Amino acid sequence: MRIPRPLLALSLAVALAGSAANLLAEDGYRLWLRYEPVANEALAKAYRNAIGPIVADATSDTAQIALDELERGLSGLLGNKRSRSAPKLLVGTPQSAHIAKLGLDLSELGSEGFQLAQSGKNLVIAANTDQGLLYGVFAFLRHLQSAGSLDNVPLTSTPKIDHRLLNHWDNLTRTVERSMAGASIFNWFDLPYYVEPYYHDYARACASIGINGTVLTNVNSNATVLRPQFLEKVAALADTFRPYGIQVYLTARFSAPVEIGGLETADPLDPAVIKWWSDKIDEIYTYVPDFGGFLVKANSEGQPGPQAYGRDHADGANLLARALAPHDGIVMWRAFVYDFEVKEDRHKQAYTEFTALDGRFEPNVSIQTKNGAIDFMPREPFHPLFGATPETPHTLELQITQEYLGGDIHLAYLAPMWEETLESDTFATGPGSTVAKIVDGSVFGHNLTAIAGVANIGNERNWTGHPMGAANWYAFGRLAWDHELSSEDIADEWTRLSFGNDPNTVATITKILLGSHQTVVDYSMPLGLHHIMYPGHHYGPGPWHDQGRPDWTSTYYHNASERGIGFDRTVSGSNALGQYAPEVVEKWGSPQSIEDKYLLWFHHLDWDFQMKSGNTLWNELCLTYQSGVDRVDEMLDQWSSLQGAVDAQRHARVTALLRRQLEDAKFYKDACLAYFHTFAQRPFPEGVEAPEYSLDYYKNFELYHVPGHPGEQW
Ligand code: BDP
């Protein structure tokens, strides 16, 4: 991508003119809550004529936050020129006389829903609770910020999933596993004495998209957080987040009774252990009366768990669940378990383990299950556990941080990937039993419903490092609230809130966002390839990696040889496919009927296999890698066209990131094709650039001190 010099000069001039006029430097701190003045004068006038004095009576901290937000939003969007004679904006719950007398039917709203309504000339934001009110205020402001018409204000909205959580993989040392956006936002050493003002901004941002819980600590957990000294710190955070409707959760280290409790065992059936957890949990509630509960990673990747004592996951989860139940706390017990000593395909292990335990869990236990059965790969078919445990609810775990998708360096808008999972049909009780409907409890009638996103937030000024990374935080929250929203609509909404409503800017950015996930897949792990990343830090390619435990190598997953490539998970192979419903098996069981995007996930095929496009597999693989690279180039072009239309600060940062992404994409493609070529031994098809260097170059290339790598000490 080269910009001709005269054009470059022109675009620079436009950029400068633009920034002098109204494009103030934007560091990203305000996220999607910018409340810039409404640019369209006619619209601003219409808003001013429709929104006059606010009528409200705040009786709680939450209501006060909602009203402050409303004032802040309206004065940002409309200035101080609002007319006193314009119709009123009535805000409140039926506890307030001005809402009660409207006689609105709020019976369907529950404790978190809200209604935006028109009553005569007046606009109304109503809810049953102050938390619902807060969500209603954010929805109203979102509508105005995205230039919504006043005719479309009425809206009734309730969340489809009750527990909508961020999972922070943050350590007490402030390092963050798999995140590149700086250090942890939780400044443990200063707590509880100093409560950083930005904790409020974090909670406000979460609340604005409906997130109502946060797990403060890494799944690879540290028992120290359960010590009184730390519980005081947790309490300070909980106190800060509470008025924003955000509950605090912690990860529980299963061996805590031994590590900090002085017991000899952590056996979940041992009376002393049962007592220890029960006392510990009672103690936690003295610090945090509305503590949400525990997230637990046990017997996985070296974490302690009940199996060390010959017990199973249900024994472990129930131990904690019984002690939490009197306080209304819950346990999210992770299904991300696999063991390299078990010879079964890693893909199958969680299903085998947890379907056998269905019916044994306490009612306040939810199995926290990643979207796919391996591990947050750039694309995964849905996890076969969804729909397979009628008695046990699932918390869907999504990864917002881009561990395998280029960290915070690559632009990858993840909502289309999450949408793909949510819409996947498990056929559990017949067609339409989508993952979304398993998770929202409707398929099996579960009351405990939850969804979690592994956060991409750090102490970078703009929170997420990549300015576009905020779109993923935003999209997670919006989908968690309503999984029927489309990734397109969310992209459009986020772009308007974050970059304004100029039609060309909105169209260009949403186009970039919507194609970006597929682009990353194409230049890294296309056609169902997976787990071929560089070991350890996971940034960049490592298809040759074959050392150490097999289920952490790349060769275990791609099986490339002269005879072809792919993982045979059909009946002739590991038959992981057999864990899905017959309708799914029928579609995915044949390389002719399965979608290309999952092909090599389930099938091992000859290099000359005929693809639907008419290309051989080898040619298709090469062309897909190449198209991924080419599309980064296009993104760069599209983004460059916005110079002057987007503030210079974010424009420059995204430009620099896209340039690096282009180099990385080329590197990924070249490294993988150089490696696979050694087996395929066929020419590169026309239109595909042969790798720039020899395979050895890529193999020997090392990146140092990649952020977020748990093996790094820094
Ligand atoms: C993998 C990460 C590892 C996490 C693990 C998990 O590489 O750092 O601890 O998932 O989810 O993706 O427990």
Side-chain angles (χ1 to χ4, degrees):
M1 217 276 326
R2 269 182 209 92
I3 306 177
R5 284 200 161 274
L7 256 186
L8 188 66
L10 181 70
S11 47
L12 276 178
V14 172
L16 291 174
S19 56
N22 52 10
L23 295 171
L24 295 175
E26 177 89 40
D27 63 15
Y29 184 80
R30 294 182 299 165
L31 294 162
W32 48 84
L33 300 167
R34 295 159 67 244
Y35 307 133
E36 289 288 288
V38 174
N40 178 329
E41 255 319 305
L43 190 64
K45 199 166 162 214
Y47 286 169
R48 280 189 201 110
N49 287 338
I51 308 167
I54 296 170
V55 182
D57 46 4
T59 52
S60 72
D61 290 350
T62 304
Q64 194 56 55
I65 288 172
L67 292 180
D68 289 350
E69 189 73 30
L70 199 53
E71 283 294 354
R72 176 178 183 168
L74 291 178
S75 55
L77 289 159
L78 305 177
N80 297 323
K81 289 188 237 151
R82 273 163 47 224
S83 148
R84 287 176 168 273
S85 56
K88 298 187 174 61
L89 177 55
L90 309 173
V91 184
T93 68
Q95 320 298 315
S96 304
H98 63 276
I99 296 295
K101 74 172 181 219
L102 300 178
L104 300 169
D105 177 10
L106 306 182
S107 57
E108 301 292 306
L109 294 187
S111 61
E112 292 189 301
F114 60 85
Q115 197 174 98
L116 308 182
Q118 186 90 43
S119 171
K121 289 193 163 166
N122 296 334
L123 288 170
V124 185
I125 306 176
N128 289 322
T129 64
D130 290 341
Q131 190 172 341
L133 213 55
L134 181 61
Y135 294 142
V137 162
F138 279 119
F140 180 62
L141 292 172
R142 188 156 61 223
H143 187 72
L144 303 184
Q145 253 195 296
S146 49
S149 147
L150 284 167
D151 299 336
N152 293 336
V153 172
L155 169 74
T156 297
S157 185
T158 54
K160 295 192 167 63
I161 296 174
D162 285 342
H163 300 273
R164 305 174 299 277
L165 312 187
L166 285 185
N167 284 185
H168 286 271
W169 285 1
D170 295 22
N171 298 313
L172 303 180
T173 55
R174 298 196 72 180
T175 57
V176 184
E177 187 150 339
R178 307 307 179 184
S179 170
M180 296 187 169
S184 168
I185 56 171
F186 305 124
N187 191 348
W188 290 106
F189 194 67
D190 275 7
L191 284 165
Y193 303 99
Y194 185 59
V195 173
E196 303 268 6
Y198 68 71
Y199 295 147
H200 288 272
D201 295 329
Y202 160 82
R204 173 176 165 248
C206 286
S208 76
I209 49 176
I211 289 169
N212 65 2
T214 182
V215 182
L216 303 175
T217 45
N218 192 355
V219 284
N220 296 322
S221 56
N222 185 336
T224 303
V225 77
L226 302 175
R227 291 182 186 276
Q229 191 191 111
F230 269 81
L231 292 178
E232 267 186 63
K233 299 170 193 274
V234 172
L237 289 174
D239 291 344
T240 311
F241 300 159
R242 186 171 301 112
Y244 297 87
I246 293 169
Q247 268 183 294
V248 155
Y249 299 72
L250 293 173
T251 48
R253 187 159 170 86
F254 203 76
S255 48
V258 177
E259 288 171 27
I260 62 167
L263 301 187
E264 307 240 300
T265 177
D267 180 345
L269 301 191
D270 184 292
V273 173
I274 295 170
K275 180 166 183 340
W276 189 85
W277 277 112
S278 167
D279 291 348
K280 178 50 74 182
I281 286 168
D282 290 347
E283 183 190 1
I284 294 174
Y285 280 91
T286 65
Y287 288 92
V288 183
D290 57 351
F291 178 63
F294 286 132
L295 167 64
V296 188
K297 172 175 177 179
N299 294 118
S300 169
E301 300 186 331
Q303 292 302 299
Q307 291 174 340
Y309 308 96
R311 316 298 183 191
D312 59 31
H313 287 290
D315 296 324
N318 291 342
L319 161 76
L320 303 175
R322 286 181 191 127
L324 284 161
H327 306 279
D328 291 331
I330 62 168
V331 174
M332 289 154 292
W333 192 271
R334 293 179 93 225
F336 182 67
V337 297
Y338 62 101
D339 180 352
F340 73 102
E341 279 166 8
V342 174
K343 289 292 160 250
E344 196 181 31
D345 175 3
R346 170 174 164 189
H347 196 292
K348 297 174 72 173
Q349 294 182 25
Y351 177 101
T352 305
E353 192 125 19
F354 283 92
T355 48
L357 299 174
D358 192 27
R360 294 243 341 263
F361 292 97
E362 290 289 321
N364 58 336
V365 177
S366 176
I367 301 302
Q368 181 155 319
T369 309
K370 292 187 181 183
N371 56 298
I374 296 297
D375 182 11
F376 297 138
M377 291 294 109
R379 163 173 277 128
E380 294 206 26
F382 71 93
H383 202 305
L385 261 176
F386 292 111
T389 62
E391 305 289 320
T392 318
H394 288 269
T395 301
L396 170 61
E397 180 177 315
L398 301 169
Q399 196 179 42
I400 310 173
T401 194
Q402 295 167 227
E403 176 179 358
Y404 302 100
L405 285 139
D408 80 335
I409 304 297
H410 293 197
L411 197 165
Y413 171 60
L414 303 178
M417 172 174 81
W418 298 333
E419 194 175 38
E420 189 173 305
T421 301
L422 289 162
E423 287 175 356
S424 294
D425 202 342
T426 69
F427 293 92
T429 57
S433 313
T434 59
V435 171
K437 291 187 173 156
I438 301 287
V439 175
D440 74 14
S442 53
V443 170
F444 294 118
H446 290 302
N447 291 325
L448 173 51
T449 58
I451 184 165
V454 180
N456 62 344
I457 302 162
N459 73 345
E460 275 253 16
R461 177 73 190 156
N462 70 358
W463 304 89
T464 56
H466 200 304
M468 299 295 190
N472 290 328
W473 179 7
Y474 184 85
F476 168 76
R478 298 289 286 130
L479 279 173
W481 179 275
D482 182 359
H483 56 65
E484 282 172 17
L485 292 176
S486 76
S487 54
E488 285 90 352
D489 287 350
I490 298 173
D492 179 85
E493 200 175 272
W494 177 80
T495 305
R496 288 171 184 278
L497 306 185
S498 308
F499 289 95
N501 292 296
D502 169 59
N504 180 54
T505 306
V506 174
T508 308
I509 295 180
T510 51
K511 189 163 186 224
I512 291 174
L513 290 174
L514 289 168
S516 59
H517 168 252
Q518 185 64 48
T519 298
V520 177
V521 171
D522 285 350
Y523 64 68
S524 61
M525 306 189 202
L527 304 180
L529 282 177
H530 51 287
H531 211 291
I532 59 170
M533 66 286 165
Y534 197 92
H537 60 61
H538 299 170
Y539 187 91
W544 46 80
H545 175 56
D546 60 0
Q547 302 300 305
R549 52 185 279 189
D551 57 354
W552 281 0
T553 65
S554 301
T555 48
Y556 174 94
Y557 297 95
H558 65 62
N559 289 296
S561 72
E562 286 71 17
R563 291 190 309 283
I565 184 169
F567 200 132
D568 184 359
R569 293 197 166 104
T570 67
V571 265
S572 55
S574 77
N575 201 22
L577 190 55
Q579 295 179 334
Y580 291 89
E583 292 87 339
V584 179
V585 176
E586 196 186 325
K587 179 151 177 78
W588 289 352
S590 136
Q592 270 75 32
S593 55
I594 193 170
E595 301 94 320
D596 286 352
K597 61 187 177 188
Y598 300 141
L599 185 68
L600 302 176
W601 192 283
F602 289 107
H603 297 274
H604 184 270
L605 298 167
D606 190 88
W607 294 109
D608 293 322
F609 171 78
Q610 285 291 306
M611 301 288 294
K612 294 186 190 79
S613 63
N615 291 324
T616 63
L617 172 57
W618 168 248
N619 283 356
E620 186 90 356
L621 190 69
C622 296
L623 288 162
T624 310
Y625 268 110
Q626 182 69 50
S627 82
V629 175
D630 294 346
R631 288 208 314 281
V632 182
D633 213 354
E634 280 165 28
M635 289 203 279
L636 191 44
D637 275 339
Q638 289 159 348
W639 181 255
S640 300
S641 78
L642 292 179
Q643 195 161 32
V646 163
D647 60 280
Q649 193 171 354
R650 281 185 298 176
H651 194 273
R653 184 151 185 190
V654 174
T655 303
L657 286 161
L658 282 170
R659 291 208 173 111
R660 179 163 179 194
Q661 185 172 355
L662 181 57
E663 278 187 28
D664 286 349
K666 196 168 165 328
F667 188 98
Y668 223 120
K669 166 211 145 229
D670 283 355
C672 291
L673 290 187
Y675 173 73
F676 292 135
H677 187 254
T678 60
F679 304 110
Q681 308 221 350
R682 283 151 177 81
F684 294 104
E686 210 186 307
V688 173
E689 289 164 25
E692 196 171 345
Y693 302 104
S694 73
L695 178 57
D696 277 348
Y697 171 85
Y698 301 106
K699 278 183 155 176
N700 293 327
F701 188 89
E702 210 162 310
L703 276 177
Y704 298 96
H705 306 310
V706 180
H709 179 199
E712 285 274 349
Q713 302 293 319
W714 77 97

